[in-house]
Amino acid sequence: MTQRTPSSSPPSIESPQPSLPSNPWWRHAVIYEIYPRSFQDSNGDGIGDINGITSRLDYLQWLGVDAIWISPIYPSPQVDFGYDISDYQNIDPQYGTLEDFDHLLAEAKKHGIRVLMDMVMNHTSDQHPWFLESSSSRDNPRRDWYIWREGHPGATPPYNPPNNWISMFGHSAWQYDARTGQYFYHRFYPQQPDLNWRNPQVEQAMFDCIRFWFDRGVAGLRLDAVPSLFEDPELRDADPLPGTNAYGDPRQDPSRYENLPDDHGVMRRLRSLTDSYSGERVLIGETYLNSIRELDQWYGGSHHNELQLPMDIQVGFINKLDVNLFRRRILEAETRIDGNQPLFVFDNHDHPRSWNRYGDGTHNDLIARLIAAILFTTRSTALLYYGQEIGMTTTPPKRKEDVKDPIGIKGWPREKGRDGERTPMQWNSSANSGFSNASSTWLPLAADYEEKNILAQQNDPGSLLHWYRRLIDLRKTDPALRGNEITMLDVTNPFVLSWLRPGKEHSLLVALNFTAQTQTISFDPAKDRLPSGQVKTILTSASSLEHQSSLAGITLLRHLDREPTIRRRYEHFARSPERSSDEADPSPFCLPAPSLLPFRRACRRAAIRSLRCR
Ligand code: GLC
Ligand code: CA
């Protein structure tokens, strides 16, 4: 990464889109996802908790984190580890109390850190009072708060679901309720019945829950599975796709129950509610979408009136070091989202960690540095997942009997579940890595914690952790990185990804070698429309570049042992990497849906044939 101080004023480099009207805090923010069960245990039960998070705020501040997003900590039967909520206005006792939460908010504020809650609007727990009422009788006033239907005529329950829709977590999305003789719909586990968003009372009730947290002082929400809010009102069968999923179900096109236009009305009203609060509260969406065009709709396009930050998974889940694809996708996020702010995501609690998805097994540390450079030096808001900054590895269970995530039990061995990316945070080399003093922890620590942990990397200035910290610091302090523009350079180079962040005082040039070979690149200020002037290296993973003072003959060391390939376990990605950005969507690729995304194969639409699942 080199910095250029111009001797004359920089040439004008057009900004591709109109920029956003203001410069809110979240545009340049570093947002850090905490999976609360796994971050820090404070009471010795082997499960992380709120006071544990509070005790680690010094670390988060040291790293440069601006906001934490905490995965759900509401009361929950924990079937889906908190994503099955039974009370939206309280804290699960295993994580603490509302007082603990208020204390966290206050302490976080002192550390300059905002707190974002995870909000699950699509479904509740089947133990939520709303569902207990709804399922109690067909004429209960809350019956219509969920999606209840008769079975399909011609067969008998429980073998005649209303249609062929399958759950994200395997098998029919309809659960038969013998007490009232009808089926209810669940996009996820049967213990997570979908709310009926066509009933305005549902929206009112959910918005009240959201106000409860905004009133308490949370700075924003991460909205779980929002493209699943609405379903086809006629419940028409989904079109079949070839092959089967990890659970053995025939694959299908989810467009009958994912990403319906009706979702957007709710997003606009939620945005108005959010904007009625002071402090630039932010809405982040879990939006696994097939194309940049669909993603733009979740911002409200040029109206900018829906989510400020729907997640863009099209960059972070390319899953191979393909320069052309990265360049194209980053550019799409610059030119095709109506000037909205991109949010690239590489890691979260639902997917194998990027360390494993991109690593070649030998140079993972260098590759992780490359990914961090993309995350922190493009224009994207940066989202990271706990442990990413030290290169925590995915550690899936070895035996079915050890699996905690129910999809891993159901899908074993093809789908081992998400435990592997949820192992406890590695703080130091002591027992349980400083995560907990319990005799056993809810998931075992990854095997490498004695060498790979926060403390060890804090003490090593050359560590990945320090690389993250320096990039974060640069992002906060360098005006070029806070600017509005990014220009791709050397755009036909299939080996090295380069871009410029132009600035008034100086500009920043980023060059990343994606290959197994040493690459030498040169830039010509006139031809490449770069500002002329002094050049100096400000951050590099190759010491030979530390004193580089010219844009000609920059030699970048290799990052890989061999040509990159997608790592075995993760090649089941939902889209063809070769898809051109102009290709229409969602067909012919099946819509990637949350959570199982890396486990789905690229799939083409089959001849339409009705298929009923049982
Ligand atoms: C989202 C969450 C995932 C959860 C699912 C159902 O995809 O990230 O962890 O299982 O929604 O709530
Ligand atoms: Ca739904």
Side-chain angles (χ1 to χ4, degrees), residues 33 35 69 71-72 80-84 118 120 122-123 168-169 187-189 192 222-225 286 288 348-351 405 407 418 422 593-596:
E33 181 191 354
Y35 197 67
W69 144 34
S71 284
D80 194 16
F81 297 113
Y83 284 94
D84 46 324
D118 209 316
V120 186
N122 178 64
H123 49 267
M168 170 77 71
F169 291 161
R187 176 77 182 107
F188 299 93
Y189 293 122
Q192 295 169 300
R222 176 269 189 184
L223 304 171
D224 186 75
E286 190 200 21
Y288 290 96
N348 64 34
H349 63 285
D350 291 326
H351 301 283
D405 183 13
I407 60 171
R418 298 163 290 180
R422 298 174 176 179
S595 312
L596 302 187

Side-chain angles (χ1 to χ4, degrees), residues 283-411:
L283 296 172
I284 300 175
E286 190 200 21
T287 40
Y288 290 96
L289 299 165
N290 237 358
S291 71
I292 198 77
R293 187 181 59 74
E294 287 176 318
L295 182 67
D296 189 35
Q297 292 168 353
W298 283 83
Y299 289 100
S302 59
H303 302 290
H304 314 297
N305 61 354
E306 297 190 22
L307 309 182
Q308 293 99 327
L309 296 175
M311 292 179 188
D312 180 336
I313 49 98
Q314 311 201 10
V315 174
F317 289 86
I318 288 174
N319 290 349
K320 63 174 183 175
L321 292 175
D322 178 326
V323 172
N324 291 329
L325 258 183
F326 269 91
R327 186 181 291 124
R328 190 197 303 157
R329 300 264 172 90
I330 293 171
L331 212 55
E332 280 185 352
E334 288 302 318
T335 53
R336 298 180 62 186
I337 56 171
D338 284 301
N340 289 296
Q341 172 65 19
L343 172 63
F344 298 155
V345 183
F346 283 86
D347 285 273
N348 64 34
H349 63 285
D350 291 326
H351 301 283
R353 288 177 178 270
S354 61
W355 178 266
N356 304 87
R357 296 203 320 274
Y358 289 95
D360 69 346
T362 311
H363 298 88
N364 289 32
D365 183 86
L366 281 174
I367 294 166
R369 284 168 204 245
L370 184 147
I371 284 169
I374 297 172
L375 196 57
F376 296 115
T377 73
T378 54
R379 274 201 331 110
S380 170
T381 296
L383 181 62
L384 63 149
Y385 181 50
Y386 82 93
Q388 182 180 341
E389 69 275 31
I390 54 169
M392 273 177 62
T393 51
T394 316
T395 310
K398 292 197 176 61
R399 307 179 313 170
K400 186 176 175 184
E401 51 272 38
D402 297 331
V403 178
K404 294 285 191 307
D405 183 13
I407 60 171
I409 299 169
K410 208 189 219 177

Side-chain angles (χ1 to χ4, degrees), residues 253-532:
D253 174 351
S255 54
R256 295 270 188 239
Y257 45 76
E258 280 283 328
N259 201 23
L260 269 71
D262 311 72
D263 297 335
H264 296 281
V266 177
M267 294 302 106
R268 285 191 285 272
R269 291 189 291 279
L270 179 55
R271 176 63 181 274
S272 301
L273 185 161
T274 304
D275 285 350
S276 73
Y277 282 84
S278 62
E280 300 176 329
R281 318 267 172 131
V282 66
L283 296 172
I284 300 175
E286 190 200 21
T287 40
Y288 290 96
L289 299 165
N290 237 358
S291 71
I292 198 77
R293 187 181 59 74
E294 287 176 318
L295 182 67
D296 189 35
Q297 292 168 353
W298 283 83
Y299 289 100
S302 59
H303 302 290
H304 314 297
N305 61 354
E306 297 190 22
L307 309 182
Q308 293 99 327
L309 296 175
M311 292 179 188
D312 180 336
I313 49 98
Q314 311 201 10
V315 174
F317 289 86
I318 288 174
N319 290 349
K320 63 174 183 175
L321 292 175
D322 178 326
V323 172
N324 291 329
L325 258 183
F326 269 91
R327 186 181 291 124
R328 190 197 303 157
R329 300 264 172 90
I330 293 171
L331 212 55
E332 280 185 352
E334 288 302 318
T335 53
R336 298 180 62 186
I337 56 171
D338 284 301
N340 289 296
Q341 172 65 19
L343 172 63
F344 298 155
V345 183
F346 283 86
D347 285 273
N348 64 34
H349 63 285
D350 291 326
H351 301 283
R353 288 177 178 270
S354 61
W355 178 266
N356 304 87
R357 296 203 320 274
Y358 289 95
D360 69 346
T362 311
H363 298 88
N364 289 32
D365 183 86
L366 281 174
I367 294 166
R369 284 168 204 245
L370 184 147
I371 284 169
I374 297 172
L375 196 57
F376 296 115
T377 73
T378 54
R379 274 201 331 110
S380 170
T381 296
L383 181 62
L384 63 149
Y385 181 50
Y386 82 93
Q388 182 180 341
E389 69 275 31
I390 54 169
M392 273 177 62
T393 51
T394 316
T395 310
K398 292 197 176 61
R399 307 179 313 170
K400 186 176 175 184
E401 51 272 38
D402 297 331
V403 178
K404 294 285 191 307
D405 183 13
I407 60 171
I409 299 169
K410 208 189 219 177
W412 189 272
R414 206 165 142 191
E415 164 62 82
K416 294 193 169 69
R418 298 163 290 180
D419 296 350
E421 52 268 23
R422 298 174 176 179
T423 58
M425 179 63 155
Q426 297 165 206
W427 293 104
N428 56 46
S429 60
S430 70
N432 293 333
S433 202
F435 162 68
S436 169
N437 56 21
S439 51
S440 72
T441 55
W442 85 282
L443 281 177
L445 270 290
D448 60 1
Y449 79 84
E450 285 182 33
E451 309 84 57
K452 190 186 278 183
N453 57 63
I454 299 287
L455 187 62
Q457 293 201 17
Q458 276 183 320
N459 292 333
D460 172 6
S463 65
L464 180 62
L465 177 60
H466 275 277
W467 179 265
Y468 263 80
R469 187 162 181 259
R470 287 165 74 188
L471 279 168
I472 291 172
D473 181 58
L474 200 61
R475 192 183 152 88
K476 286 187 194 306
T477 55
D478 193 308
L481 287 183
R482 297 181 77 82
N484 246 343
E485 296 171 29
I486 178 169
T487 308
M488 290 291 161
L489 301 175
D490 197 12
V491 293
T492 54
N493 189 328
F495 309 119
V496 179
L497 184 61
S498 309
W499 61 78
L500 185 81
R501 298 295 307 273
K504 284 203 179 67
E505 301 293 313
H506 63 255
S507 299
L508 214 85
L509 191 154
V510 180
L512 305 169
N513 180 3
F514 271 49
T515 71
Q517 289 83 35
T518 297
Q519 303 287 343
T520 300
I521 49 166
S522 292
F523 298 95
D524 173 350
K527 203 170 106 258
D528 296 313
R529 305 173 70 207
L530 301 177
S532 55

Side-chain angles (χ1 to χ4, degrees), residues 554-613:
I554 304 174
T555 299
L556 302 167
L557 300 185
R558 63 185 199 170
H559 268 129
L560 295 162
D561 246 356
R562 51 183 166 75
E563 285 307 322
T565 54
I566 304 178
R567 310 251 310 149
R568 280 288 116 206
R569 184 174 162 230
Y570 316 123
E571 70 189 345
H572 303 167
F573 190 60
R575 48 191 297 165
S576 158
E578 310 317 328
R579 182 193 68 119
S580 118
S581 58
D582 294 313
E583 228 169 313
D585 46 76
S587 67
F589 304 100
C590 72
L591 184 77
S595 312
L596 302 187
L597 192 83
F599 310 108
R600 299 183 145 214
R601 284 178 195 284
C603 35
R604 296 195 171 270
R605 190 191 288 268
I608 313 268
R609 194 168 54 86
S610 168
L611 199 79
R612 189 149 299 283
C613 73

Side-chain angles (χ1 to χ4, degrees), residues 61-241:
Q61 185 179 28
W62 174 85
L63 182 60
V65 167
D66 299 295
I68 52 176
W69 144 34
I70 311 175
S71 284
I73 46 179
Y74 314 95
S76 162
Q78 305 289 335
V79 172
D80 194 16
F81 297 113
Y83 284 94
D84 46 324
I85 299 172
S86 53
D87 178 357
Y88 284 78
Q89 302 190 10
N90 214 329
I91 297 289
D92 193 297
Q94 61 176 254
Y95 297 127
T97 61
L98 276 171
E99 289 67 41
D100 295 336
F101 181 79
D102 290 340
H103 179 62
L104 167 64
L105 270 182
E107 289 300 308
K109 192 168 182 190
K110 289 185 201 156
H111 287 76
I113 295 174
R114 292 173 160 90
V115 177
L116 311 174
M117 287 296 258
D118 209 316
M119 186 49 64
V120 186
M121 294 160 57
N122 178 64
H123 49 267
T124 68
S125 160
D126 63 352
Q127 299 306 306
H128 193 291
W130 298 340
F131 188 75
L132 294 177
E133 285 183 45
S134 182
S135 58
S136 66
S137 75
R138 287 194 184 203
D139 53 14
N140 183 279
R142 288 220 164 88
R143 184 65 169 181
D144 187 45
W145 281 40
Y146 294 83
I147 301 164
W148 293 96
R149 287 293 186 287
E150 299 295 332
H152 200 265
T156 45
Y159 302 109
N160 63 339
N163 65 21
N164 72 350
W165 297 355
I166 52 174
S167 155
M168 170 77 71
F169 291 161
H171 309 331
S172 173
W174 296 96
Q175 178 76 17
Y176 184 64
D177 172 52
R179 179 155 57 147
T180 58
Q182 284 187 319
Y183 287 84
F184 66 86
Y185 175 67
H186 57 92
R187 176 77 182 107
F188 299 93
Y189 293 122
Q191 296 88 344
Q192 295 169 300
D194 271 49
L195 285 160
N196 175 18
W197 279 85
R198 296 190 189 278
N199 181 335
Q201 291 175 349
V202 165
E203 180 175 304
Q204 279 164 27
M206 195 55 78
F207 281 16
D208 283 345
C209 299
I210 288 172
R211 283 191 196 94
F212 175 87
W213 295 102
F214 278 157
D215 289 340
R216 257 193 143 78
V218 310
L221 304 171
R222 176 269 189 184
L223 304 171
D224 186 75
V226 266
S228 306
L229 290 188
F230 284 83
E231 297 78 27
D232 175 25
E234 295 166 45
L235 303 189
R236 286 169 292 182
D237 273 354
D239 292 341
L241 294 168

